[in-house]
Amino acid sequence: MQNALAKASESVQNMRWLEVTDTRGHIEDGRVAHWQVTVKVGFTLE
């Protein structure tokens, strides 16, 4: 999620809140290899 917020902050200013709307994971060899999350970000317009 930090990567997504860092990328969004390159073009979106005044981010105020976030909501995780979906969480998924990828399994390899019986273990979680990585996670994917869908995030909504709220921001204030100037």
Side-chain angles (χ1 to χ4, degrees):
M1 185 172 2
Q2 289 290 3
N3 292 344
L5 293 175
K7 184 67 175 173
S9 71
E10 293 175 8
S11 59
V12 178
Q13 302 299 313
N14 301 318
M15 292 188 292
R16 301 289 183 218
W17 57 267
L18 67 89
E19 176 185 355
V20 176
T21 60
D22 190 30
T23 305
R24 290 178 276 187
H26 181 77
I27 300 170
E28 290 180 6
D29 299 321
R31 300 180 68 127
V32 177
H34 67 268
W35 292 97
Q36 292 177 316
V37 295
T38 303
V39 179
K40 289 183 181 180
V41 177
F43 56 93
T44 303
L45 294 175
E46 292 185 356

